[in-house]
Amino acid sequence: MPPPAVRVGLLGCGVVATGFLRLLRERERLIRESVGAPLIVTRVAVRDPAKRRGADLSGVALEADPVAVAAATDVDLLIELAGGEAVFDALRTALERGVPVVTANKHLLSLRGEELERLAAASGTTIRYEASAGGGIPVLQALEHGLRTERFQLLVAILNGTTNYILSTMERDGRDFAEALDAARKLGFAESDPTLDLTGADTAEKLSILVRRAFRVSVPHASIPTEGIIGMEQEDLRQADRFGYTVKLLGIALRHSDGLDLRVHPAFIPKRYLLASVRDEFNGVYLRGEATGSMLFYGKGAGALPTAQAVLGDAVAAAREIVGGVRYPRAAPEAEPGKRLPLDEVRTKYYLRLIVEDRPGVLAQVAGCLGGSRVSVAQMFQAEGIRGEASITMLTHDARDRDVRDAVKGIAGLPAVRKAPRAVRIFDL
Ligand SMILES: NC(=O)c1ccc[n+]([C@@H]2O[C@H](COP(=O)([O-])OP(=O)(O)OC[C@H]3O[C@@H](n4cnc5c(N)ncnc54)[C@H](OP(=O)(O)O)[C@@H]3O)[C@@H](O)[C@H]2O)c1
């Protein structure tokens, strides 16, 4: 006999949870038909139960303790939309008693995802987290099911809508960084404190989650070399355009014979790349598999309803298993540390832009720094500036990343260099 209802414990009642409750109400019939029973929220945990809520919570027990919700006997499925590390104990409580978990918590997953997967496997249940990377794009489901046995060589992704909006606006409207950030804030694409977005940390968290699924390796996000878009100037975007590139903040996972190259940084990418047309607040995940070749997943990476739909998709999948009595083998997760290729050893092309004194001999000094670090130049432009300055823009050939960084350090130390050089990697395989 199937249960009369799948009883849901919900942690959080903020932006995503409110969207989730709305979809639960609006899609009630579809959900019941898909699952074979209705999904009914029995308990909700919030920080402040006295706060007025936008969602209708009549008939629902509202409390402040997430662990109590996870442990409650009238909860068959735990949906965690509170965020942060503090909810770990609640997730552990649910998983240890065999209750499946759905979460959007990229931060916790990138820190302790492997531990949570192990807890789920040990009790023959599941933890699903489609909404945690790529928001509404069903890329984790695809990796978990249809692509489970594929071997990937490459994953390159635009995973942060805030920075993608800023870069797109700078490129399209000729705005500078501060103006574009301001516009992102006004449209609700940037939080009041966008540090995690701008520094690339948010992208690194999501990359670590995707890589666990696509490459079956466990990589804490803090070990991924990460650079953000702070300091990107309008002139860099103009120069990118002149050379046939666009600028994107990328999460990159590239399989080499001697290890996995993982990194997050802004990059010039050729305009012909599919990812070049992922603009504004949209996200894109490009994958290259041995059997499947190229694939692009594209869509909204954040926002109440796209994220809530990803959560609902996971919730319905988990609920179907509850109703069908599906149990999983108590298998250890397959993710391993995996061999890494250090960023120092990665070979890549670079864009460099320098402001130097406009006098004879300066170019030779710059060339000396590059040559001394075995970096050769593929293209160069020099433009006369004002006040006796010249702007030099260069694209290098492939070189070891450490060698280019050494050369840039050397150039920055030349007395004729007026401003710290700009250096951006080119991603053009
Ligand atoms: N927003 C997006 O577009 C988006 C996209 C992808 C993933 N996510 C992820 O989804 C999760 C939720 O994001 P959100 O934007 O919906 O956050 P939010 O609007 O700040 O809502 C968080 C909710 O969780 C509750 N909460 C926080 N800590 C709690 C605790 N320790 N115990 C009990 N309740 C707690 C808060 O209670 P009070 O209301 O009482 O303060 C609030 O209701 C996060 O993990 C986030 O990274 C969000």
Side-chain angles (χ1 to χ4, degrees), residues 171 237-248 268-279 427-428:
E171 184 181 51
L237 282 107
R238 260 200 298 272
Q239 294 294 340
D241 182 61
R242 162 207 280 235
F243 290 109
Y245 295 108
T246 184
V247 185
K248 298 289 178 193
F268 281 23
I269 63 169
K271 287 185 179 173
R272 66 173 191 283
Y273 274 21
L274 286 173
L275 280 178
S277 47
V278 176
R279 296 195 183 88
F427 191 81
D428 186 0

Side-chain angles (χ1 to χ4, degrees), residues 302-376:
L305 287 182
T307 311
Q309 175 52 47
V311 173
L312 181 58
D314 279 349
V316 164
R320 281 166 67 102
E321 289 169 2
I322 292 170
V323 169
V326 176
R327 300 301 287 173
Y328 283 87
R330 292 170 188 250
E334 304 133 70
E336 296 161 10
K339 192 160 173 258
R340 298 270 299 274
L341 182 68
L343 179 61
D344 280 355
E345 303 304 323
V346 167
R347 293 187 68 80
T348 181
K349 298 180 180 65
Y350 260 88
Y351 148 87
L352 305 174
R353 182 164 62 86
L354 321 170
I355 307 290
V356 298
E357 286 171 26
D358 194 6
R359 60 174 170 78
V362 173
L363 200 53
Q365 290 172 15
V366 170
C369 290
L370 291 166
S373 294
R374 296 167 297 279
V375 179
S376 67

Side-chain angles (χ1 to χ4, degrees), residues 12-16 46-48 51 53 66 81-83 104-105 302-303 307:
C13 194
V15 173
V16 181
V46 287
R47 232 176 336 222
D48 176 9
K51 196 156 108 186
R53 307 279 159 190
L81 300 173
N105 194 335
T307 311

Side-chain angles (χ1 to χ4, degrees), residues 6-12 20 40-45 60-61 63 66 68-70 72 74-81 94 97 99-102:
V6 174
R7 297 163 302 174
V8 173
L10 179 62
L11 306 186
F20 173 74
I40 292 177
V41 178
T42 49
R43 290 170 186 270
V44 175
V60 175
E63 48 200 301
V69 171
D74 60 357
V75 167
D76 307 312
L77 168 63
L78 187 73
I79 299 187
E80 188 274 303
L81 300 173
R97 67 185 194 95
V99 167
V101 167
V102 173

Side-chain angles (χ1 to χ4, degrees), residues 16-286:
V16 181
T18 303
F20 173 74
L21 290 168
R22 176 176 154 190
L23 291 183
L24 213 51
R25 199 178 56 246
E26 291 176 359
R27 311 268 168 87
E28 194 269 333
R29 193 173 58 83
L30 259 179
I31 294 168
R32 193 162 21 85
E33 284 170 5
S34 305
V35 172
L39 291 190
I40 292 177
V41 178
T42 49
R43 290 170 186 270
V44 175
V46 287
R47 232 176 336 222
D48 176 9
K51 196 156 108 186
R52 269 176 69 88
R53 307 279 159 190
D56 176 12
L57 295 175
S58 44
V60 175
L62 200 60
E63 48 200 301
D65 182 4
V67 175
V69 171
T73 51
D74 60 357
V75 167
D76 307 312
L77 168 63
L78 187 73
I79 299 187
E80 188 274 303
L81 300 173
E85 290 171 56
V87 290
F88 178 82
D89 286 342
L91 269 52
R92 178 173 52 200
T93 302
L95 293 173
E96 278 178 348
R97 67 185 194 95
V99 167
V101 167
V102 173
T103 175
N105 194 335
K106 60 202 160 208
H107 183 63
L108 182 61
L109 286 162
S110 67
L111 286 173
R112 304 183 76 174
E114 203 189 343
E115 203 177 338
L116 289 165
E117 300 249 26
R118 202 170 284 139
L119 282 167
S123 8
T125 190
T126 55
I127 174 163
R128 289 178 162 87
Y129 40 86
E130 183 66 71
S132 65
I137 310 173
V139 61
L140 288 168
Q141 289 254 16
L143 289 170
E144 184 58 15
H145 297 288
L147 296 169
R148 194 180 177 94
T149 51
E150 176 60 306
R151 268 179 63 85
F152 292 101
Q153 290 134 354
L154 174 64
L155 181 156
V156 195
I158 296 168
L159 294 167
N160 185 273
T162 307
T163 46
N164 205 41
Y165 181 84
I166 290 171
L167 293 171
S168 302
T169 304
M170 289 174 77
E171 184 181 51
R172 186 180 44 231
D173 304 341
R175 298 197 196 183
D176 68 21
F177 181 84
E179 286 171 338
L181 172 58
D182 203 37
R185 277 206 177 103
K186 284 193 179 120
L187 287 167
F189 296 145
E191 298 188 23
S192 51
D193 178 6
T195 310
L196 292 177
D197 302 314
L198 302 182
T199 57
D202 174 82
T203 298
E205 288 183 352
K206 293 167 178 168
L207 182 65
S208 104
I209 292 168
L210 285 170
V211 158
R212 194 164 54 235
R213 277 278 187 267
F215 293 84
R216 309 228 166 251
V217 294
S218 177
V219 182
H221 75 268
S223 78
I224 300 175
T226 299
E227 289 167 28
I229 66 163
I230 295 167
M232 191 63 68
E233 292 177 4
Q234 176 52 229
E235 184 58 19
D236 299 319
L237 282 107
R238 260 200 298 272
Q239 294 294 340
D241 182 61
R242 162 207 280 235
F243 290 109
Y245 295 108
T246 184
V247 185
K248 298 289 178 193
L249 178 63
L250 299 181
I252 298 169
L254 178 56
R255 197 194 290 277
H256 296 268
S257 54
D258 40 2
L260 191 61
D261 161 20
L262 288 178
R263 46 197 158 105
V264 170
H265 56 72
F268 281 23
I269 63 169
K271 287 185 179 173
R272 66 173 191 283
Y273 274 21
L274 286 173
L275 280 178
S277 47
V278 176
R279 296 195 183 88
D280 296 319
E281 76 276 25
F282 282 84
N283 283 199
V285 180
Y286 174 87

